Amino acid sequence: MEFLSLQETEAEAVDLIGSPAHLHTERNLYQPKVPEVLSGKFSLQFTDGTTSYSDPDVVKQLFPSTYGQPGVIFVPELVEIPDTPKVARKLRVGCVFSGGPAPGGHNVVAGLFDFLTRENNGSELFGFLGGPSGIVEKIYRQVTETELENYRNIGGFHYLGSGRTKIETAEQLKRSVQTCVDLELDGLVIIGGDDSNTNAAVLAEYFLKNDCKTCVVGIPKTIDGDLKNTFIESSFGFDTATKFYANQTSNICLDAISACKAYHFIRIMGRDASHITLEVALQTHPNLVFISEEYMAKHAKKSITLMDVVNEILHLILERAALHKNYGVIVIPEGLITHLSDMKQLIEELNELLVANDNAAIDPLTFDTSKLSESAQVLYANLPDFILRQMMLERDPHGNVQVATIELERLIGHMVRIQLEVFREKKIYRSKFTYVCHYFGYEGRCGYPSQFDCDYCYSLGLTAGGLLENQKTSMIACIKNLHLPPSEWIVGGIPLTSMMTIERRLGHMKPVIRKQLVDLHGLPFRSLLKYRESWKLNDDYRVPGPIQLGNGSGKSGRSEELRTLTLLLEAQQRLKQQKEDDQKK
Ligand code: FBP
């Protein structure tokens, strides 16, 4: 074996530091797999007309031009369908990242770009910079192959940047039309979550009303996994983020069982729904896991408070101490705080006060607590300063509490420690208690996308192109059968208004795309119920390992191993249901 000289080693190191990471370059070369229908010519087939998820009359009134349209499915061109414009015409399209980043976003842009340029007919793609405000302010860059080739199959949204601006004032809407007119856009693709796709529906309606030819198409993005329904099986980014958090969580589990000296409180990102936490728990088997939706359901019978959560943890610690296990892993979804009855009430009261304060943060030091109800005042007085300060920060432009900034794991750890001191004085607890807090959040949103997200996002970009080519507006790109290999995926578009409901946001009732919370009757949650009791004392930790392109094809070569357990279990449930329905016919 030959070794490099000292000089050569130094030169190689300098060379490595100065050039892109090897994996980055390799990833740029990966060609995503796509559904068969997207690799050739296709036409659109129409499904039945749609209504909204709820409040159809209100939604229809708010979206008179776009409400009720049918969905579409892409079919190979072999089938001649009348009235479908078959155009290989030159298109000018804009695209924008909206909201929090999610792994795979760059592949949506790549898919869209490749779709537009594959006919080589002079079509152009423009990327708005910094999120929806880029549309209002007309700040954009033209997407070129030379620039884009560095971003293919790479995490982050940094090619264009992102933001959370909600386009809603008359002035913002007018300026958005102006931007589309100035750039002569045939289409606008909004890559976002539920709030951003609500924005897409508002824009589509406004454009039609104001004779602006730009069609608007949404893309289901969010690591939270809550932009899903009967049409959308998963938002992109969920696959990668859960694989990333699961890897981190299992590493902590192994540290816990190796060092045997600490409890680890892990808070995992996911604003409202607990899909991420549920998937991570199924993948890693922590000793205790909280699912917010379970607590919301329990509310109906009995209100569940912060202290109830603390008590459940104390119970676990005492039981494990009896087995001389003074360590463990407890996983908490970041959204739990907004679902505990006492915290929820305080947050709702603070929301209204923040609206009155022009949504500017309120300082707990100068806050007049008499503005709160009696029960909220009692809770407020018992919470540590750091939590109060975090809870009183401004809400995001869509009216959401910034749960990512609220250190619930620290609050819970702090309360558990105080309670254990009391137990120690009463001689109920004699062991040492050390705890470490972790927040797995932002680091999961921008990593290298999994193979699934690479393929899915690229296909979503192609789908958006297909919808725009056929002048579809107020639709979201939708790909089904995701549990199967990409070649078998079914591709189409679903009207955005069909997913809408009416909710209270920033003090007003607003149309919004409905968030899908964890279904307590669904197979993923039922699977958790089946196993979680045994995880409490047994330390049955599971290690899924890190993401690698092509990992999971394993010895068996089964591509299903690449999917999240949530996706597989939901597909299993759907197929079973279909079979039962067919038998009844
Ligand atoms: P999106 O819904 O825009 O995808 O963002 C989701 C999310 O990542 C949540 O999980 C998290 O609570 C929130 O964004 C953090 O928001 P911000 O990026 O504004 O801090």
Side-chain angles (χ1 to χ4, degrees), residues 17 109 118 132 211 273 322 332 354 413 496 519 527 544 564 577:
I17 294 167
V109 180
R118 70 182 176 186
D211 295 326
I332 306 158
L354 279 157
L496 286 164
D519 175 8
S527 305
T564 61
Q577 186 64 50

Side-chain angles (χ1 to χ4, degrees), residues 265 288 290 295 305-317 340 411-420 423:
F265 293 90
L288 196 59
F290 292 91
Y295 286 84
T305 62
L306 178 62
M307 205 53 216
D308 290 320
V309 169
V310 171
N311 283 337
E312 203 167 329
I313 296 173
L314 288 168
H315 189 74
L316 176 89
I317 293 176
L340 300 168
L411 173 64
I412 291 176
H414 169 83
M415 290 175 73
V416 167
R417 189 177 53 76
I418 291 176
Q419 205 53 41
L420 284 175
F423 286 179

Side-chain angles (χ1 to χ4, degrees), residues 541-562:
Y541 305 136
R542 179 175 183 271
V543 183
I547 293 175
Q548 287 168 25
L549 257 192
N551 77 346
S553 53
K555 271 193 209 146
S556 67
R558 287 190 313 140
S559 61
E560 290 93 320
E561 287 166 17
L562 286 167

